[in-house]
């Protein structure tokens, strides 16, 4: 009897513990849905989605797993980063490319994923640099930046978009208007351009001039129209005069018509790029009047509507994406900035001023019904961009929504005068939105793209294909290529650098070609050289070429910077620098035949 009572008590405790755990995890609604699992994943469990968050003034892209919110990678694009050996050394060609294209910092805003046949193809992530009018391309098989391109005739590269269904162009919007001729004393009104960039060559094929600041962009599903929000239709040059009109515009650019006009010689050529001027853009450019200094423009998954967020108006404007007519202008709340979608006909708009996400039904709003708002959820705080889970822009999944917040105020432990930026994860799979969790992030996410792990993960490489100039094991060498120059071809494999020492003279220029000859995933080696401002990080298969000055006479240990195995502390070697006048004969070196 007593034993029975004990069992009953234990059973009751187990049930209670279960309930407590359920509440703690935020589970207990929309049973059976994956989204209901919320933000908690155990160690070893993989996420369902990759989130690519633009790093704003960090000049990079952050990769987080969703729903856990765990930060799994940083991809440096417009800023050098020693941790990844990315453009971090003088003499690195990638550093030269950054410097010559605009500088060693960037302000990344809007990521965009390449598509084939209207589906995410896992090839590229494109990301803009607002500060220096650049477009970066990241390879998604290696998560590495592979191209940087400067966009001519454009300042303030803000919104970008992929033209579906096969990524015909990457559209880049110019937010900072300029005199057409670029002359400082020009009496002309300031204007801006929307650039059309080839995704393979990264060349700007043509540009379409617009009368104002081109902010965000999206394209119709069939690739016919590109939509750009235009604030400052007033063409004002200070903030007060930029806010005079109650309506600015959405620019709808007819892509086939623009291509035709650009190749027909109608365009003026500026810095090598055909630019369709305002006077010549009849049949190409349509300005749709929308309130007021609009921000986001987002095309619905079915391609029927383009939705502009009012920013200085509490409304969103629903535009028919084929006829370009305005079909509804529902009020959603203060400071709407961007809109995303689920797979059930609902839109979700971020309200910066209201610090909330509003869910509203598109069909009901278009019909003029009064009950179009489905629900609201507060976010913390001042949400800018947002994105719901999707396989591609035409294929929403309706599980999670990421809200990118510009301030976290009271959400985390204080870390100085600046609070972390953060994003919040919201479950949108049920009848009502449900806040799942909040995740601090580095400065400062401005935009986010999501892709299902089942689409992207199989395309990610385990090792790199060795480039043609890779150093092969057994072919290492130290060779004097001139009176003051030395080339060192070196390999790295656990736990040796070959050669493990070499001698040079003060004043020599030393060119390292370094190859990590490992063939196993994650066998990373770093190469750090004290007092020479030199560090490269080498994933398996990677080759890097760096030239340095030999520096002052002495013995310098180069060492592996990644804890690569039990012999990691022994993975090092010496660069011996003799004084200029030392009576030593320095000879070439090759490994003994094996
Ligand atoms: Cu290689 Cu540590």
């Amino acid at each position: 009897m007593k034993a029975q009572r004990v069992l009953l008590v234990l059973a009751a405790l187990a049930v209670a513990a279960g309930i407590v755990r359920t509440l703690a995890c935020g589970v207990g609604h929309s049973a059976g849905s994956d989204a209901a699992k919320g933000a908690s994943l155990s160690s070893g469990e993989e996420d369902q989605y990759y989130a690519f968050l633009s790093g704003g003034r960090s000049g990079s892209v952050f990769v987080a797993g969703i729903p856990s919110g765990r930060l799994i990678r940083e991809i440096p694009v417009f800023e050098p980063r020693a941790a990844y050996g990315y453009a971090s050394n003088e003499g690195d060609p990638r550093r030269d490319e950054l410097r010559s294209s605009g500088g060693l910092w960037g302000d990344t805003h809007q990521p965009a994923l390449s598509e084939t046949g209207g589906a995410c193809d896992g090839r590229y992530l494109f990301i803009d640099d607002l500060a220096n009018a650049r477009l970066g391309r990241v390879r998604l098989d290696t998560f590495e930046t592979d191209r940087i391109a400067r966009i001519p005739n454009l300042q303030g590269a803000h919104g970008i978009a992929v033209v579906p269904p096969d990524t015909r162009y990457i559209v880049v919007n110019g937010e900072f208007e300029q005199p057409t001729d670029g002359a400082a004393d020009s009496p002309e009104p300031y204007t801006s351009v929307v650039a059309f960039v080839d995704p393979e060559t990264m060349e700007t094929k043509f540009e379409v001039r617009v009368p104002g600041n081109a902010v965000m962009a999206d394209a119709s599903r069939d690739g016919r129209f590109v939509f750009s929000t235009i604030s400052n239709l007033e063409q004002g040059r200070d903030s007060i005069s930029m806010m005079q009109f109650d309506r600015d515009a959405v620019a709808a650019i007819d892509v086939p018509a623009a291509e035709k006009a650009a190749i027909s010689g109608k365009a003026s050529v500026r810095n090598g790029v055909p630019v369709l001027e305002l006077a010549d853009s009849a049949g190409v450019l349509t300005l749709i009047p929308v309130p007021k200094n609009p921000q986001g423009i987002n095309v619905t998954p079915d391609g029927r509507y383009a939705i502009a967020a009012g920013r200085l108006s509490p409304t969103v404007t629903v535009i028919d994406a084929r006829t370009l007519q305005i079909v509804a202008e529902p009020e959603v709340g203060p400071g709407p900035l961007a809109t995303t979608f689920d797979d059930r006909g609902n839109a979700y708009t971020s309200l910066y001023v209201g610090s909330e996400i509003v869910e509203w039904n598109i069909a009901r709003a278009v019909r003029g019904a009064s009950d179009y708002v489905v629900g609201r959820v507060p976010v913390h705080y001042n949400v800018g961009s947002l994105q719901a889970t999707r396989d591609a822009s035409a294929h929403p999944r309706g599980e999670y929504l990421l809200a990118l917040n510009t301030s976290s105020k009271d959400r985390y432990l204080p870390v100085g005068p600046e609070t972390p930026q953060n994003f919040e994860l919201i479950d949108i799979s049920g009848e009502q939105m449900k806040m799942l969790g909040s995740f601090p992030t580095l400065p400062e996410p401005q935009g986010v793209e999501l892709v299902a792990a089942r689409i992207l993960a199989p395309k990610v490489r385990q090792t790199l294909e060795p480039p043609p100039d890779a150093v092969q094991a057994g072919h290492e060498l130290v060779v004097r290529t001139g009176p003051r120059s030395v080339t060192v071809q070196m390999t790295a494999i656990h736990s040796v650098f070959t050669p493990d020492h070499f001698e040079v003279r003060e004043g020599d220029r030393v060119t390292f070609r370094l190859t990590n000859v490992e063939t196993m995933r994650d066998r990373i080696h770093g190469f750090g050289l004290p007092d020479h401002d030199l560090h490269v990080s080498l994933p398996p298969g990677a080759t890097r070429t760096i030239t340095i000055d030999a520096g002052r006479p002495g013995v310098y240990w180069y060492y592996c910077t990644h804890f690569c195995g039990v012999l990691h502390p022994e993975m090092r070697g010496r660069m011996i620098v003799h004084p200029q006048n030392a009576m030593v004969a320095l000879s070439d070196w090759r490994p003994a035949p094996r």
Side-chain angles (χ1 to χ4, degrees):
M1 195 65 185
K2 198 178 171 190
Q4 235 172 3
R5 207 159 46 225
V6 170
L7 277 177
L8 272 173
V9 169
L10 282 177
L13 280 174
V15 169
I19 290 168
V20 169
R21 196 161 50 237
T22 302
L23 292 174
C25 296
V27 186
H29 102 119
S30 53
S33 131
D34 275 347
K37 270 187 77 179
S40 58
L41 283 186
S42 313
S43 179
E45 269 189 284
E46 283 186 3
D47 282 291
Q48 291 164 261
Y49 289 92
Y50 291 92
F52 293 94
L53 300 139
S54 67
R57 60 191 188 272
S58 295
S60 55
V61 173
F62 303 124
V63 188
I66 300 298
S68 76
R70 296 175 294 201
L71 193 64
I72 47 181
R73 178 78 177 174
E74 180 187 17
I75 308 169
V77 185
F78 300 107
E79 280 197 13
R81 194 75 83 250
Y84 300 102
Y86 177 73
S88 56
N89 301 289
E90 292 300 336
D92 183 332
R94 291 178 303 179
R95 190 179 179 89
D96 299 338
E97 185 187 21
L98 277 185
R99 194 177 268 133
S100 64
S101 65
L104 299 181
W105 77 286
D107 182 10
T108 59
H109 267 242
Q110 196 58 42
L113 292 161
S114 61
E115 294 184 2
T116 300
C120 175
D121 57 19
R123 295 184 69 208
Y124 298 125
L125 178 85
F126 296 91
I127 182 84
D128 57 337
D129 167 19
L130 190 148
N132 303 299
R134 290 181 288 190
L135 184 67
R137 188 174 74 188
V138 173
R139 278 176 58 159
L140 289 178
D141 59 345
T142 59
F143 282 53
E144 285 183 340
T145 300
D146 83 325
R147 288 290 300 275
I148 304 278
R150 176 84 186 205
I151 314 294
N153 311 317
L154 182 147
Q155 213 178 86
H158 196 177
I160 72 167
V162 156
V163 177
D166 298 315
T167 318
R168 187 167 176 82
Y169 300 103
I170 313 302
V171 174
V172 184
N173 274 353
E175 197 187 21
F176 300 159
E177 59 281 18
Q178 290 272 300
T180 309
D181 54 11
D185 56 354
S186 175
E188 289 181 61
Y190 286 9
T191 56
S192 188
V193 296
V194 176
F196 289 73
V197 181
D198 183 303
E200 293 302 327
T201 64
M202 296 288 277
E203 232 182 297
T204 301
K205 303 303 275 187
F206 61 90
E207 293 173 337
V208 177
R209 191 168 303 283
V210 290
N213 314 2
V215 188
M216 300 299 285
D218 203 353
S220 62
R221 299 281 160 250
D222 56 4
R224 166 80 188 276
F225 290 109
V226 159
F227 300 101
S228 292
T229 38
I230 306 292
S231 65
N232 191 21
L233 207 57
E234 300 90 338
Q235 297 179 301
R237 301 181 189 187
D238 58 71
S239 61
I240 298 294
S241 45
M242 287 178 192
M243 295 185 285
Q244 296 308 302
F245 296 170
D246 281 337
R247 283 184 182 255
D248 289 280
V250 166
I253 296 168
D254 185 319
V255 179
E259 283 174 330
K260 222 171 126 189
I263 52 169
S264 70
K266 247 182 157 183
S268 50
V269 177
R270 297 180 189 275
N271 295 308
V273 175
V275 183
L276 280 176
E277 303 295 353
L278 285 169
D280 299 318
S281 59
V284 173
L285 176 68
T286 306
L287 293 176
I288 305 158
V290 304
K292 175 183 184 175
N293 298 64
Q295 185 81 6
I297 179 83
N298 304 94
V299 174
T300 54
D302 62 9
R304 280 188 75 178
Y305 305 114
I307 296 173
R311 190 157 64 95
L312 301 189
S313 159
T315 55
V316 287
T317 302
V318 184
I319 299 162
D320 186 304
R322 288 181 194 91
T323 65
L324 309 184
Q325 299 301 306
I326 293 172
V327 296
E329 220 157 76
E331 190 165 328
V332 290
L337 289 194
T339 301
T340 189
F341 309 98
D342 67 16
D343 51 353
R344 305 182 301 279
N346 298 312
Y348 301 78
T349 300
S350 58
L351 302 178
Y352 178 87
V353 178
S355 281
E356 61 180 9
I357 306 296
V358 54
E359 176 183 355
W360 54 280
N361 183 271
I362 302 167
R364 273 183 247 160
V366 169
R367 215 186 303 134
S370 58
D371 62 344
Y372 56 87
V373 171
V374 179
R376 295 174 186 274
V377 64
V379 289
H380 315 87
Y381 299 89
N382 301 108
V383 56
S385 184
L386 83 175
Q387 186 65 261
T389 45
R390 59 189 195 181
D391 288 349
S393 44
H395 304 289
R397 301 266 298 174
E399 292 168 311
Y400 303 105
L401 182 149
L402 261 64
L404 272 52
N405 307 323
T406 57
S407 166
S408 62
K409 286 183 201 162
D410 52 8
R411 311 307 284 184
Y412 308 111
L413 291 173
V415 287
E418 182 175 342
T419 65
Q421 281 77 37
N422 78 121
F423 68 87
E424 287 177 305
L425 185 70
I426 296 162
D427 176 1
I428 57 167
S429 65
E431 288 300 307
Q432 287 293 316
M433 290 180 284
K434 188 176 166 58
M435 177 62 72
L436 294 174
S438 148
F439 308 89
T441 159
L442 304 173
E444 174 199 7
Q446 303 272 357
V448 58
E449 265 290 9
L450 288 154
V451 58
R454 67 182 160 73
I455 294 175
L456 186 52
K459 299 180 193 289
V460 178
R461 299 181 67 102
Q462 309 251 325
T463 58
L464 297 170
E465 194 82 38
D469 67 346
V471 182
Q472 289 168 33
H475 294 262
E476 301 89 346
L477 57 86
V478 179
V479 59
R480 294 203 73 83
T481 49
R484 311 200 84 179
S485 56
V486 179
T487 291
V488 180
Q489 294 189 11
M490 186 179 285
T491 59
I493 191 166
H494 183 71
S495 57
V496 285
F497 289 110
T498 306
D500 69 358
H501 71 281
F502 62 91
E503 296 172 53
V504 295
R505 213 184 288 276
E506 183 183 9
D508 280 348
R509 298 285 294 165
V510 185
T511 299
F512 291 95
R513 187 140 88 235
L514 298 159
T515 298
N516 177 348
V517 294
E518 302 277 5
T519 53
M520 231 170 79
R521 184 184 192 181
D522 206 35
R523 276 285 194 170
I524 304 160
H525 300 291
F527 181 88
L529 184 63
D531 299 327
H532 286 77
D533 198 17
L534 174 58
H535 175 249
V536 295
S537 178
L538 299 158
T543 295
R544 303 270 186 262
T545 303
I546 307 283
T547 299
I548 60 158
D549 189 279
R552 295 168 60 82
V555 174
Y556 301 95
W557 284 99
Y558 43 88
Y559 76 106
C560 175
T561 58
H562 179 77
F563 204 109
C564 54
V566 72
L567 296 178
H568 157 75
E570 284 77 30
M571 188 166 175
R572 50 195 171 106
R574 290 166 302 145
M575 178 172 84
I576 297 156
V577 183
H578 294 284
Q580 190 85 250
N581 52 4
M583 300 294 283
V584 286
L586 300 181
S587 53
D588 295 349
W589 171 91
R590 278 164 215 279
R594 299 180 179 188

